[in-house]
Amino acid sequence: MKTDFKLLIDGKLVDGVSTFDVVNPATEESFAQCPRASEAMLDEAVAAAKAAQPAWAALSADERQAYLNKLADAMEARHEEFGRLLTAEQGKPLDQAMYEIGGSIYTIRAIAGMRLPDQTMRDEGGNTIIEHRTPLGVCAAITPWNFPVILLVGKMAPCLITGNTMVAKPAPTTPLTTLLLAELAADILPAGVFNVVCDQNELGPKLTGHPDIAKVSFTGSTATGKKVMASAAEGVKRVTLELGGNDAAIVLDDVPAKVAAEKVYNGAMANAGQICVAIKRAYVPTAMYDEFCAEIAKLTKAAVVDDGSKQGATVGPVQNKMQYDKVLAMIEDAKASGTLIAEAAKPDKAGYFIAPTVIGGLSDDAPLVAEEQFGPVLPVLTYDDIEDVIQRANDSPFGLGGTVWGMDQLRAMDVARRINSGTVWVNQHLAIDPNIPFRGSKQSGLGSEHGTAGLMEYTQAHIINAVNLEAEPA
């Protein structure tokens, strides 16, 4: 496996001023060194992006698309290498890592094919009004550790296809797949168009507050998102924030318990629960509760918790020690105040392994219900009245996603319309598509990613309002 990594600044792969360890969460051991950038190197990256932006914007969208498609092709040629590196640094089972890389390749190609043509708003009586969009300049992307590749390309592709340039900063615990992408970009993209700097969380304020950064796209916790927003305020920078969630799943009374349990379990435990839009709390009818719990217990106990590189593993470790400690504390608190429904077995060895756990009997204000756990643990709650459960689902500062499960699709969609979240899925989960806008409400974020709405986030709208000057009669 590749262990030599470089930063990407102005088209050149360069060493950092120092290095830091990257730890495999399945072993708790360092397996590679990541180069660390200095503030001066960050300034160099921003300056390079600024210098490269006019020529990049001057290319046609089709020419920029060709560059992005070449990058996607290069990723595809090294698909397995990306997947294995992702499992090593992030922990997810290899099949899930390969799926993320495949999704990343598809996302680049899909977004590269999108366009924002001029919109004619009026064309009558000699008055023509159009809305024309232009790039913002240099954009910053700050990405998290749960999906380090697909969340990066979901920012990079719309940024570049609309004529902007980028400086990306990955999470310090999962920087290596980003640096592997940077290695490919160094041979494909013009110098300065895409730059990558790595740190141990000290360069964030410098990047978000940099006077030559026009926009910041951040995915991560709500607490950090507030800091990003405050830092960007001085320059009135454009900001897109995709933040935390506490997504509710509402199971309606016409769904077979076995079907509902399987859907909810998969939506809660994928990627060891480390998904912003994972199901974080499940509400089931009181009459269904016992059967639902029996079914979800079977699925929980069948989970294979192990190193993601091991064949047969279905749940890998939590990505880092800080998150591991937080989730364990929430589980212990929930066990003390609730009822353990089921808990999987976990390997007796080093690694940030947390057994998938399902807990019932909690109040709505219990930490596991009211807060975002971001780990493989799910509270199951009961309800008797649909109006009551809608109110309880909405009683949260978060509003990223949610799901409603029901055999009567129209009835389920009616409930979904009343959930105050940016996306509510009906009878499916995690159906994220680069062609469809994805956004949060309340403290789960600002702005859109994906779709043409996501492209618009990287552009400035100009209204061109013109009239014909008639020649005066002689």
Side-chain angles (χ1 to χ4, degrees):
M1 182 180 296
K2 179 180 174 64
T3 58
D4 180 32
F5 295 91
K6 307 283 187 181
L7 305 172
L8 177 59
I9 299 176
D10 198 16
K12 302 178 182 67
L13 297 171
V14 299
D15 292 324
V17 293
S18 61
T19 62
F20 57 88
D21 290 335
V22 179
V23 173
N24 184 328
T27 64
E28 301 182 51
E29 294 179 355
S30 171
F31 73 99
Q33 296 288 304
C34 177
R36 184 179 66 82
S38 64
E39 285 195 14
M41 296 177 83
L42 172 61
D43 286 337
E44 289 174 22
V46 175
K50 183 178 180 181
Q53 195 272 327
W56 179 250
L59 297 176
S60 69
D62 288 349
E63 289 172 319
R64 294 193 294 267
Q65 179 183 9
Y67 276 110
L68 286 168
N69 283 340
K70 287 180 183 178
L71 187 60
D73 291 345
M75 287 185 70
E76 189 168 42
R78 298 172 72 172
H79 193 147
E80 184 171 351
E81 181 182 358
F82 267 98
R84 292 191 179 280
L85 182 61
L86 179 56
T87 290
E89 70 173 350
Q90 200 280 333
K92 65 186 63 180
L94 183 58
D95 62 335
Q96 296 178 30
M98 295 294 282
Y99 186 79
E100 179 178 342
I101 302 304
S104 301
I105 295 165
Y106 172 74
T107 295
I108 293 174
R109 290 173 175 156
I111 294 176
M114 296 178 185
R115 299 291 183 269
L116 291 175
D118 290 352
Q119 298 295 314
T120 300
M121 307 180 78
R122 180 182 300 164
D123 189 8
E124 58 185 22
N127 183 199
T128 301
I129 303 175
I130 64 170
E131 183 180 80
H132 170 67
R133 289 187 170 269
T134 58
L136 298 172
V138 182
C139 304
I142 302 177
T143 51
W145 44 256
N146 58 331
F147 286 93
V149 184
I150 200 166
L151 292 175
L152 170 63
V153 302
K155 303 176 189 301
M156 179 193 72
C159 171
L160 299 192
I161 194 59
T162 50
N164 303 280
T165 54
M166 174 165 277
V167 177
K169 189 180 83 68
T173 57
T174 56
L176 303 183
T177 42
T178 298
L179 293 177
L180 183 56
L181 179 62
E183 180 181 307
L184 302 184
D187 291 333
I188 295 170
L189 300 178
V193 168
F194 180 63
N195 306 268
V196 177
V197 294
C198 299
D199 69 342
Q200 290 185 287
N201 286 330
E202 69 273 10
L203 293 180
K206 174 76 172 178
L207 179 59
T208 57
H210 198 290
D212 289 331
I213 294 292
K215 172 188 169 63
V216 179
S217 181
F218 170 81
T219 299
S221 71
T222 296
T224 304
K226 291 177 181 178
K227 294 178 182 179
V228 170
M229 194 172 178
S231 178
E234 179 65 26
V236 196
K237 302 180 191 302
R238 305 302 187 265
V239 178
T240 300
L241 304 174
E242 196 251 285
L243 307 177
N246 190 8
D247 299 18
I250 298 177
V251 178
L252 300 181
D253 57 10
D254 60 350
V255 184
K258 184 175 182 179
V259 172
E262 180 180 2
K263 300 291 188 181
V264 169
Y265 175 84
N266 291 335
M269 301 301 179
N271 200 36
Q274 300 166 115
I275 307 176
C276 294
V277 287
I279 293 173
K280 307 293 199 321
R281 48 196 169 119
Y283 297 89
V284 302
T286 300
M288 188 192 297
Y289 180 77
D290 288 344
E291 187 179 359
F292 178 92
C293 289
E295 294 294 340
I296 204 168
K298 295 176 188 175
L299 297 166
T300 303
K301 292 174 181 177
V304 179
V305 184
D306 206 344
D307 185 327
S309 65
K310 299 287 184 65
Q311 187 172 4
T314 61
V315 179
V318 169
Q319 200 282 316
N320 58 77
K321 181 66 161 59
M322 181 180 297
Q323 190 64 20
Y324 174 79
D325 291 339
K326 173 190 171 183
V327 175
L328 280 183
M330 293 184 80
I331 290 174
E332 291 309 309
D333 175 80
K335 284 180 177 178
S337 55
T339 303
L340 179 65
I341 295 170
E343 189 171 27
K346 69 174 184 176
D348 184 17
K349 60 181 180 181
Y352 305 133
F353 297 105
I354 296 179
T357 305
V358 181
I359 296 177
L362 295 172
S363 63
D364 284 0
D365 60 357
L368 187 61
V369 178
E371 301 172 16
E372 181 183 38
Q373 64 271 51
F374 221 67
V377 53
L378 175 72
V380 179
L381 303 103
T382 61
Y383 74 92
D384 294 303
D385 177 74
I386 193 66
E387 299 298 326
D388 171 66
V389 76
I390 291 171
Q391 188 277 326
R392 291 163 67 193
N394 287 334
D395 187 19
S396 171
F398 301 107
L400 191 58
T403 55
V404 180
W405 306 89
M407 300 302 292
D408 183 337
Q409 184 176 326
L410 292 178
R411 178 189 178 212
M413 289 179 69
D414 181 63
V415 173
R417 287 187 181 93
R418 301 169 64 191
I419 302 301
N420 297 332
S421 295
T423 298
V424 184
W425 291 289
V426 174
N427 296 331
Q428 60 180 343
H429 191 63
L430 292 177
I432 295 176
D433 184 328
N435 299 289
I436 305 300
F438 179 74
R439 55 176 71 91
S441 68
K442 297 186 279 188
Q443 292 189 32
S444 286
L446 291 173
S448 296
E449 294 195 301
H450 298 325
T452 55
L455 257 64
M456 289 179 183
E457 296 279 338
Y458 289 89
T459 64
Q460 174 62 51
H462 294 261
I463 297 296
I464 311 299
N465 192 334
V467 296
N468 288 327
L469 288 176
E470 298 289 340
E472 292 186 6

